[in-house]
Amino acid sequence: MNASIERVFSDFTIRGAGLTDLPALRRLEHICFGDDAWPMWDLVGVLVLPNLVRLKSVADGRMVGFVGGDPHPAEGVGWIATIGVLPEYRRRGMAVELLAACEELMGLPVVRLSVRRSNEGALRLYRREGYRMVDSWTGYYHDGEDALVLEKNR
Ligand SMILES: CC(C)(COP(=O)(O)OP(=O)(O)OC[C@H]1O[C@@H](n2cnc3c(N)ncnc32)[C@H](O)[C@@H]1OP(=O)(O)O)[C@@H](O)C(=O)NCCC(=O)NCCS
């Protein structure tokens, strides 16, 4: 769905990801999400299942950020399934560009995502990009924290 995309910025590039990115994605997930990191089979799935969006940001010759999108065209909704940027590459606009590219590739009128209630940095990012809270899932995470569901109309 996104193999041919390439967006070049001054200090990073966004392009489609694939199965060869599995080791780098696994590392990135563990660094970014710790105990919330996806298991191996979910990572394989996001890299290979048809109709999903998978984009990586590349800097200094390696994957330093990733976004996965899960379009549900029948409902007109695309979910941002995961987004993460390595700590040393944060606060340079990479997540904004990964998010924008994923939203565009899904091409659906509504975009949704879930986020930990305490994840203030991510919440600030999403609010800045036009997302608004529409729901909450009580005790969604393994440690009992609630998820907030945010939505954006494109
Ligand atoms: C959340 C995350 C993806 C943001 O990545 P990023 O590339 O640093 O984000 P950007 O540089 O595009 O941020 C854009 C804006 O969002 C806001 N923002 C992003 N991270 C922030 C933080 N930690 N604290 C406060 N504001 C933040 C700021 O307004 C920022 O603009 P500014 O740097 O000019 O102030 C990254 O911190 C990350 O991978 N975190 C761990 C995984 C995670 O929580 N993912 C989201 C799960 S839902």
Side-chain angles (χ1 to χ4, degrees):
M1 180 166 199
N2 46 273
S4 60
I5 185 177
E6 178 157 285
R7 294 188 181 175
V8 181
F9 300 89
S10 57
D11 53 355
F12 62 93
T13 299
I14 291 178
R15 58 173 73 106
L19 195 52
T20 55
D21 295 304
L22 181 60
L25 179 58
R26 199 161 176 230
R27 179 176 173 273
L28 183 139
E29 272 271 318
H30 277 280
I31 292 171
C32 289
F33 294 103
D35 289 347
D36 289 338
W38 284 3
M40 178 69 104
W41 285 111
D42 286 354
L43 298 179
V44 172
V46 77
L47 291 173
V48 302
L49 287 174
N51 303 322
L52 297 189
V53 172
R54 44 217 159 225
L55 296 171
K56 60 183 173 181
S57 52
V58 177
D60 303 323
R62 64 188 181 122
M63 178 202 281
V64 299
F66 181 84
V67 64
D70 185 8
H72 294 240
E75 299 153 33
V77 177
W79 285 84
I80 302 294
T82 184
I83 182 167
V85 172
L86 290 180
E88 59 271 41
Y89 291 90
R90 290 180 187 164
R91 305 304 292 268
R92 41 173 104 175
M94 211 176 264
V96 166
E97 297 300 346
L98 284 166
L99 202 52
C102 189
E103 290 168 359
E104 267 178 53
L105 281 174
M106 290 197 292
L108 294 167
V110 175
V111 187
R112 281 191 201 134
L113 54 83
S114 60
V115 57
R116 278 181 178 269
R117 190 185 283 281
S118 64
N119 194 341
E120 289 174 16
L123 281 165
R124 190 179 289 245
L125 160 71
Y126 298 139
R127 290 198 178 110
R128 197 184 101 163
E129 294 310 302
Y131 287 81
R132 296 289 172 257
M133 186 182 142
V134 291
D135 199 0
S136 64
W137 296 335
T138 306
Y140 176 76
Y141 293 98
H142 60 85
D143 60 358
E145 187 172 346
D146 298 347
L148 303 184
V149 181
L150 307 191
E151 182 175 291
K152 172 178 180 171
N153 293 293
R154 298 178 66 240

